[in-house]
Amino acid sequence: MERKKMVVGNWKMNPLTHKEAEKLFDAVAKSLLWVKKTEVVICPPFLYVEKLKKLSRKIFLGAQDVFPGDVGAFTGEVSSGMLYELGTRYVILGHSERRSFGESNSDINKKIKGALVVGLRPILCVGESARDENHGYFSLVKTQIEECLAGISKNSISKVIIAYEPIWAISSTPGRKDATAQDSLEMAIFIRKVLSDKFGKDSGSLRILYGGSVNEKDALEFLKNGGVDGLLVGKASLDAKKFVEIIKICEQSSK
Ligand code: PEP
C-alpha cells in the first residue's frame, strides 16, 4: 500500500524567543520549494504557531501535547479544539518525556480520542526504555499500542501515525546508544502485525515513523532499511540545514 512519506520535527521546549523561532522556521520553509512527495510537519511550542503559520503553506504545524477536554475549568490546559482553531493539524502524544511526568496509556488514549474528534492527527509515540535479552520490549510496545488505541474505530485508524522511539536511542537520554535500521525494521513489522490483528486491513494506510537521534547521516539508512514511512526528528530539527537535508533525503527516497 502506498503511504506518503513524512518528516516531523519536534522542537520540544525550543527556542527561547519568537524571533529565533521565526528565523529557524523561515530558513526551513525557504528551502522546501522542491518538496512534493514528503509531508513536512513542525511541532514548535504552541504559542509560536500563530506567527509561524503565516510563513509557509507547505509545512504543517503540530502541537506536542493536548488536554483531552473541550473547554472548561482546567487551569493551565489547552484543548484539541483550541489547537485546531490555532492552525495545528497534528499533535505528538505519548512522548517519552511526557510519559516520564506520569502520563499513562489511559491518559494518552483520552487525548487521542479528543484529537480525532476535532480533526487533529495524533502522532502516537511508543518505545521501550531499554532492551532485554528476553525481548520483553515487544510486549511493552504491544501494550502501549493496544491501550493507547483502545476504542478507536476502524474508520479513524488511518488518521493515526505511530512513531517508534526507543528511549535508549533518543538524544537527550543519558548514555544513549545508536539504534540500527534493523532494530527499527523488526519493530515496524511487529507494530504492523499488532495493528492488523486489532484493526484489520484498515490499518494498512497508517504510517509508522522512526525517531531517536536521526540525523542527516543515518536518515537514508532508516528510510531504506528501517521499514518506516518517515522520521520523527528532535535535536536535528533545531538546525535548519540538517533538517532540510533530512527532508531532501526523504524526498529522494520516495518513489
Ligand atoms: C524525540 O525526542 O522525539 C526525538 C526524536 O529526539 P532526538 O531526535 O533528539 O533523539
Side-chain angles (χ1 to χ4, degrees):
M1 181 171 296
E2 194 61 31
R3 291 180 293 263
K4 190 167 183 176
K5 288 267 179 4
M6 94 189 273
V7 175
V8 181
N10 177 10
W11 283 7
K12 308 191 180 184
M13 200 171 70
N14 298 289
L16 186 60
T17 65
H18 258 103
K19 208 170 160 195
E20 289 170 276
E22 282 174 54
K23 193 172 162 213
L24 172 59
F25 189 89
D26 203 39
V28 175
K30 277 195 182 124
S31 313
L32 292 189
L33 300 173
W34 38 266
V35 169
K36 290 202 173 64
K37 295 178 269 185
T38 310
E39 207 162 318
V40 179
V41 182
I42 290 182
C43 302
F46 71 83
L47 78 171
Y48 296 147
V49 169
E50 185 68 38
K51 284 207 169 161
L52 299 187
K53 72 181 177 193
K54 300 190 178 101
L55 301 180
S56 170
R57 285 209 197 144
K58 265 213 163 126
I59 302 175
F60 289 95
L61 286 154
Q64 300 170 14
D65 188 33
V66 75
F67 188 73
D70 186 3
V71 289
F74 302 106
T75 302
E77 298 294 352
V78 174
S79 73
S80 288
M82 292 170 185
L83 287 173
Y84 191 90
E85 169 82 12
L86 183 65
T88 62
R89 292 295 177 264
Y90 291 86
V91 57
I92 295 173
L93 291 173
H95 191 279
S96 55
E97 287 154 16
R98 296 218 58 86
R99 289 180 190 262
S100 74
F101 302 147
E103 189 169 272
S104 67
N105 290 333
S106 146
D107 297 329
I108 297 160
N109 178 250
K110 292 190 192 99
K111 294 179 180 193
I112 291 177
K113 286 176 175 160
L116 287 170
V117 166
V118 303
L120 273 187
R121 290 176 166 236
I123 301 170
L124 167 64
C125 298
V126 296
E128 73 284 2
S129 54
R131 290 213 155 182
D132 57 307
E133 278 175 12
N134 301 326
H135 307 287
Y137 48 91
F138 283 112
S139 62
L140 181 133
V141 168
K142 182 170 190 261
T143 303
Q144 287 179 332
I145 291 175
E146 288 179 344
E147 293 185 0
C148 292
L149 298 182
I152 305 295
S153 72
K154 287 189 176 184
N155 288 344
S156 300
I157 194 62
S158 64
K159 306 271 190 309
V160 177
I161 292 128
I162 293 189
Y164 171 54
E165 297 212 301
I167 300 168
W168 49 271
I170 289 180
S171 65
S172 56
T173 302
R176 64 161 298 282
K177 293 197 189 95
D178 281 336
T180 63
Q182 184 64 24
D183 295 328
S184 167
L185 177 65
E186 284 167 11
M187 191 54 86
I189 292 170
F190 178 74
I191 291 173
R192 286 245 167 258
K193 166 90 174 73
V194 171
L195 290 169
S196 144
D197 289 348
K198 192 168 164 56
F199 296 98
K201 62 175 172 36
D202 296 288
S203 66
S205 53
L206 175 153
R207 286 173 289 184
I208 300 177
L209 314 180
Y210 169 77
S213 299
V214 172
N215 57 54
E216 71 290 4
K217 295 190 187 91
D218 59 15
L220 183 62
E221 174 64 5
F222 280 109
L223 288 165
K224 253 173 65 181
N225 300 320
V228 289
D229 308 300
L231 303 166
L232 176 52
V233 184
K235 197 170 173 196
S237 72
L238 296 171
D239 180 320
K241 262 195 190 157
K242 288 185 184 175
F243 192 55
V244 169
E245 187 57 31
I246 292 168
I247 297 165
K248 202 181 272 178
I249 289 165
C250 187
E251 181 80 1
Q252 286 163 355
S253 77
S254 296
K255 284 179 208 113

